[in-house]
Amino acid sequence: MSKAFTSYLHFVCAGLVKLRQTGAIVPSQRFLVSRMIAPVPEDYSGEIIELGAGNGALTLRLAQRCRKARVLACEINPVLAQSTRHNLSAAGLSSRAEVVSDSAEHILSERARRGLDKADYIVSGIPLGNLGRERTLALIDQVVRSLRVGGMYIQFQYSLVDRKKIRQRFSSLHTVPVFLNFPPAVVYYARR
Ligand SMILES: C[S@@+](CC[C@H](N)C(=O)[O-])C[C@H]1O[C@@H](n2cnc3c(N)ncnc32)[C@H](O)[C@@H]1O
């Protein structure tokens, strides 16, 4: 069995066994990935934070596109975090991305506690709609605090259920549907 197929199976299994946490049964596909990473300039040379990396669908494309940037990806499921590391390594991209097996909430609070630089871009596939209202609001607030003024939060979701929560906390929000994905999704581009 190829490593790519094994990685895909890891995601499908996570989706079937822990659907609430995983939020999908298949990784994002190329049109959605393209939409998610499009605002990050190819020559961006700072750090990009990715929340909920899964098996690396976005991580790999970000690392390929932004050769001078450094991607810090977190993934709560250790099997998927390991799968992302394998996929990066197989693509020769390990030096451009670090994958931490930890929650988005913990990564963001640790960065704040350590006084690390705020980010220009936070890209997220976290299934906000499955977190519950309080946890979702708390995470969005953490994202706001972790971004520089003018920085962008890019999040996809399979419904519009959390659009209003995001709109209320950012200075602008642009929402784009992506029909060519299973399931169809929306991408939020929220500017702090
Ligand atoms: C819908 S999948 C998206 C995966 C990948 N970004 C993609 O687009 O294919 C959401 C991922 O977020 C992870 N996740 C869920 N809650 C999380 C949390 N609090 N912190 C970090 N990762 C989380 C899940 O394990 C899952 O891999």
Side-chain angles (χ1 to χ4, degrees):
M1 219 183 320
S2 80
K3 287 198 170 164
F5 187 63
T6 308
S7 166
Y8 191 86
L9 275 188
H10 282 152
F11 193 101
V12 172
C13 287
L16 294 175
V17 176
K18 299 180 178 184
L19 181 58
R20 206 172 167 75
Q21 181 183 84
T22 312
I25 51 166
V26 289
S28 298
Q29 296 114 61
R30 65 192 173 104
F31 290 104
L32 176 56
V33 173
S34 296
R35 283 291 194 177
M36 288 292 291
I37 68 174
V40 187
E42 283 183 29
D43 62 353
Y44 178 68
S45 59
E47 188 173 52
I48 303 163
I49 299 177
E50 186 192 358
L51 311 177
N55 70 339
L58 293 172
T59 327
L60 266 80
R61 288 276 304 277
L62 264 177
Q64 270 159 355
R65 175 184 167 86
C66 305
R67 308 171 68 86
K68 299 181 195 157
R70 174 123 186 102
V71 181
L72 171 65
C74 71
E75 168 52 53
I76 203 166
N77 180 329
V79 175
L80 295 182
Q82 188 58 24
S83 199
T84 299
R85 286 188 207 103
H86 275 307
N87 289 335
L88 284 163
S89 168
L93 295 168
S94 298
S95 62
R96 294 191 207 158
E98 179 187 357
V99 185
V100 183
S101 179
D102 200 349
S103 72
E105 292 87 342
H106 189 239
I107 291 292
L108 295 179
S109 66
E110 269 303 290
R111 288 180 65 85
R113 190 184 65 75
R114 291 163 57 196
L116 297 182
D117 283 349
K118 297 192 179 201
D120 291 312
Y121 297 98
I122 297 183
V123 175
S124 168
I126 301 262
L128 294 180
N130 295 351
L131 299 183
R133 182 180 163 76
E134 294 312 316
R135 229 182 122 193
T136 300
L137 290 175
L139 179 58
I140 297 170
D141 284 337
Q142 275 190 300
V143 169
V144 174
R145 288 194 297 270
S146 304
L147 276 174
R148 281 187 224 284
V149 174
M152 189 181 277
Y153 168 45
I154 309 167
Q155 167 81 50
F156 76 79
Q157 187 162 42
Y158 301 121
S159 73
L160 290 164
V161 69
D162 293 305
R163 184 174 181 276
K164 194 170 163 195
K165 299 183 188 75
I166 296 173
R167 196 185 63 205
Q168 286 171 342
R169 283 162 177 79
F170 284 84
S171 64
S172 72
L173 175 66
H174 182 48
T175 308
V176 171
V178 181
F179 298 110
L180 290 176
N181 189 74
F182 180 78
V186 289
V187 177
Y188 304 123
Y189 302 107
R191 181 80 70 182
R192 189 184 160 193

